[in-house]
Amino acid sequence: MGTVSKALSLLAHFSCDKSEIGLSDLTRLSGMNKATVFRMMSELQQSGFVEQTGADRSYRLGPQVLRLAALREAAVPILSVSRQVLRDLSDEVGETCHLSLVQGMQLNSLSHAYSPRHATKVMLEDAEVLAFHATASGLAVLAYSNTAFIDAILTSPLSSHTPDTITQPGKIRAQLDQVRTCGIAESIGGFEAEVHSHAVPVFGPDCQPIGALAVAAPASRMTAAQKDLIPQALHRAGASLTHSTGGMPPASYPVFTKT
Amino acid sequence: MGTVSKALSLLAHFSCDKSEIGLSDLTRLSGMNKATVFRMMSELQQSGFVEQTGADRSYRLGPQVLRLAALREAAVPILSVSRQVLRDLSDEVGETCHLSLVQGMQLNSLSHAYSPRHATKVMLEDAEVLAFHATASGLAVLAYSNTAFIDAILTSPLSSHTPDTITQPGKIRAQLDQVRTCGIAESIGGFEAEVHSHAVPVFGPDCQPIGALAVAAPASRMTAAQKDLIPQALHRAGASLTHSTGGMPPASYPVFTKT
DNA sequence: CCGCATGGTTCATTATTTGAACAGGCGGTT
DNA sequence: AACCGCCTGTTCAAATAATGAACCATGCGG
């Protein structure tokens, strides 16, 4: 593993609940020598990717990532285009909606819209990492991914997030087949207990999924009417988002019909 | 210069009007050997910071920067907090408003609000790099920066963006003194011809400026009423933004009074 | 067909990275 | 006051990775 990759892997340790990390913690998390971590973080800091903060001099992500994200959005405006789609969908179905993007072997939930209709709602952390096998979003993406990607995901460790998480590759493959028949993935309590989620893939110009659009609701609120409304609204919103960002679904993606 | 810094410096070549760059172009821009650029870009790609696109395999910024920006915003929500402040200010003054953040020796305009009041408006590029000496935003930041930073900026090459750009350090220092008396910077045609800009600094928790909030308008629309309204509205909005993000102005920052 | 550009690759040489051991500061405990 | 355990930060001989000149394959325009 090259020096650049090692340095960048340090940035992967930051998360929503770990926004500031000290030198010794980074040393433990990364398994690298403290002097090595120190030197790499110093270079990342000089380049603006991290900055030191507080009396204990811990590190956090720096302002340069905002600039690069703005440039990325200028080129591929997936987040800004999705914002209105998420708001409209959330208003229509009255539940939490979110967009997740595939980033390597990871699925990151990057944009959310919350409905004011209920005080109790499913909340997601910023840049939350979702498990492919345990979430509707992940299953939606996998169902339309190439075989090599599916194999890679299903041969990596599949952790149990709740007692309801399906972790056997055979059963997951059967779930993927089910997604392919109707174009929507569904997960009940697979990632978060008592959360019922639906998701559709969002496709790029190469007909490969770049992410997923999902509705997440407390299972107790899934009435027959909601079970009818959510798939239809989600399918339309997903198609709209794919289209708005210059993507196109594969020929095998089903045109939605009422269940 | 370390290997990590060199690799990250490749990312600095991306801009709004250069969102995709080929291997040979990056080699020319960076002055590094093509094999070195190739290896570094490959590592950046494996880490999700860039991706290759199109038939010519050129590079563009990758999805990982979206995730890091989301995490940075979760920790320091400067862009999301500023969004409403910019919208309100833009509605009030009827002109383009934008927030720029200091990133090392650079000032990047990262968030904008446009007013629908006029068809003709000042447009900014995404993540546009502003010149400290030639912009109201830059002057607002410099006026409250430490002496070493001011010296560093004024001893670096100061380019002439328009015939009206002031490039003599002595004159710029006089401008900074003027900003310090009233807490607002003003620039007429210094960066963009016929654009009249006002800006106030936005302060961090350490009373140092982290960026600037600006109003940019065509000079022809600067009526006496606007010349009265804009400084007042801008001063309030800047104070609000500083406060909302946990910052505080230095004791020397003037409490605004009507001119 | 040729010249020139592109993206991509190789491997002997060179430069950089590495990490064990160390330093100083701070807070808590005795 | 002294000591301990942790933190951030530093050094430099040894080890490892990076480097770049030269090369390859492909595509395009004249």
Side-chain angles (χ1 to χ4, degrees):
Chain A
M1 195 194 213
T3 303
V4 177
S5 301
K6 280 166 132 180
L8 296 176
S9 74
L10 291 172
L11 297 181
H13 294 294
F14 290 98
S15 64
C16 199
D17 64 326
K18 210 182 284 165
S19 61
E20 293 185 15
I21 314 180
L23 180 64
S24 294
D25 276 339
L26 268 172
T27 298
R28 273 189 290 277
L29 287 165
S30 66
M32 299 185 213
N33 184 275
K34 184 154 52 89
T36 301
V37 174
F38 181 79
R39 256 189 337 274
M40 288 178 171
M41 294 307 282
S42 294
E43 285 200 71
L44 289 165
Q45 184 168 12
Q46 278 158 26
S47 304
F49 282 80
V50 300
E51 62 188 16
Q52 276 183 296
T53 182
D56 62 351
R57 311 288 295 279
S58 52
Y59 294 96
R60 71 183 176 197
L61 288 163
Q64 189 65 222
V65 298
L66 297 179
R67 174 175 180 266
L68 295 180
L71 289 173
R72 164 74 184 184
E73 268 290 291
V76 186
I78 184 68
L79 294 186
S80 52
V81 169
S82 75
R83 200 163 283 131
Q84 192 60 52
V85 171
L86 283 163
R87 255 197 308 273
D88 291 345
L89 181 62
S90 179
D91 284 347
E92 185 178 1
V93 301
E95 298 290 354
T96 297
C97 301
H98 66 102
L99 174 74
S100 309
L101 296 180
V102 178
Q103 304 193 340
M105 298 283 288
Q106 250 191 357
L107 189 62
N108 294 296
S109 186
L110 291 179
S111 194
H112 323 88
Y114 298 101
S115 172
R117 200 178 294 179
H118 307 284
T120 303
K121 62 194 88 178
V122 179
M123 302 292 295
L124 292 103
E125 286 191 339
D126 293 284
E128 183 161 358
V129 180
L130 305 180
F132 279 101
H133 67 288
T135 58
S137 297
L139 295 173
V141 166
L142 282 180
Y144 293 94
S145 297
N146 64 51
T147 313
F149 187 73
I150 299 171
D151 289 343
I153 292 293
L154 296 188
T155 51
S156 62
L158 305 174
S159 25
S160 215
H161 295 263
T162 71
D164 293 324
T165 310
I166 296 172
T167 55
Q168 302 102 315
K171 285 191 169 181
I172 297 171
R173 288 187 191 277
Q175 279 185 298
L176 299 186
D177 286 337
Q178 176 61 31
V179 175
R180 290 184 192 107
T181 65
C182 56
I184 283 189
E186 196 173 350
S187 171
I188 308 176
F191 189 65
E192 230 28 268
E194 287 165 54
V195 171
H196 192 145
S197 295
H198 294 81
V200 291
V202 178
F203 296 100
D206 58 355
C207 305
Q208 287 289 309
I210 62 170
L213 189 65
V215 177
S220 59
R221 276 213 295 273
M222 292 301 299
T223 60
Q226 282 293 78
K227 280 175 183 170
D228 198 60
L229 172 64
I230 288 177
Q232 297 191 55
L234 190 50
H235 193 84
R236 282 197 302 276
S240 172
L241 186 51
T242 287
H243 184 265
S244 298
T245 54
M248 67 175 53
S252 61
Y253 192 64
V255 174
F256 191 66
T257 53
K258 202 165 175 160
T259 49
Chain B
M1 195 193 213
T3 302
V4 177
S5 301
K6 279 165 132 181
L8 296 175
S9 73
L10 291 173
L11 298 180
H13 295 293
F14 289 98
S15 64
C16 200
D17 63 327
K18 211 183 283 162
S19 62
E20 294 185 14
I21 314 179
L23 179 64
S24 295
D25 277 338
L26 268 171
T27 297
R28 274 188 289 278
L29 287 165
S30 66
M32 299 185 212
N33 185 275
K34 183 150 55 87
T36 302
V37 174
F38 182 79
R39 258 190 336 276
M40 288 178 171
M41 293 308 281
S42 294
E43 286 199 69
L44 288 166
Q45 184 169 10
Q46 277 159 27
S47 304
F49 282 79
V50 299
E51 61 188 15
Q52 276 184 295
T53 183
D56 63 352
R57 310 290 295 281
S58 54
Y59 294 96
R60 70 184 177 195
L61 288 162
Q64 190 65 221
V65 298
L66 297 177
R67 172 172 182 270
L68 295 181
L71 288 172
R72 163 76 185 182
E73 268 290 291
V76 187
I78 186 68
L79 294 186
S80 52
V81 169
S82 74
R83 199 164 285 126
Q84 191 60 53
V85 172
L86 283 163
R87 256 198 307 273
D88 292 344
L89 181 61
S90 179
D91 284 346
E92 186 178 359
V93 300
E95 298 291 355
T96 298
C97 301
H98 65 104
L99 173 75
S100 307
L101 296 179
V102 179
Q103 304 192 342
M105 299 282 289
Q106 251 191 354
L107 189 60
N108 293 296
S109 184
L110 290 179
S111 194
H112 323 89
Y114 298 102
S115 172
R117 200 178 295 178
H118 305 285
T120 304
K121 59 196 88 180
V122 179
M123 303 292 294
L124 292 104
E125 286 192 336
D126 294 283
E128 183 161 359
V129 180
L130 305 180
F132 279 100
H133 67 289
T135 57
S137 297
L139 296 173
V141 166
L142 282 181
Y144 293 94
S145 296
N146 64 50
T147 313
F149 187 74
I150 299 172
D151 289 344
I153 293 293
L154 296 188
T155 52
S156 63
L158 305 173
S159 26
S160 214
H161 294 265
T162 72
D164 293 324
T165 309
I166 296 172
T167 55
Q168 303 100 314
K171 285 191 170 179
I172 297 170
R173 287 185 191 277
Q175 280 185 297
L176 299 186
D177 288 336
Q178 176 62 30
V179 174
R180 291 183 191 110
T181 66
C182 56
I184 284 189
E186 199 173 348
S187 171
I188 308 176
F191 190 66
E192 232 24 272
E194 289 167 52
V195 170
H196 193 144
S197 294
H198 293 80
V200 292
V202 178
F203 296 100
D206 59 353
C207 307
Q208 288 288 309
I210 62 170
L213 189 65
V215 177
S220 58
R221 274 211 296 271
M222 292 301 297
T223 61
Q226 284 292 79
K227 281 174 183 173
D228 198 60
L229 172 64
I230 288 178
Q232 295 188 57
L234 190 50
H235 194 84
R236 281 197 303 275
S240 172
L241 186 51
T242 287
H243 185 265
S244 298
T245 53
M248 68 176 53
S252 61
Y253 191 63
V255 173
F256 191 65
T257 52
K258 203 165 175 162
T259 51

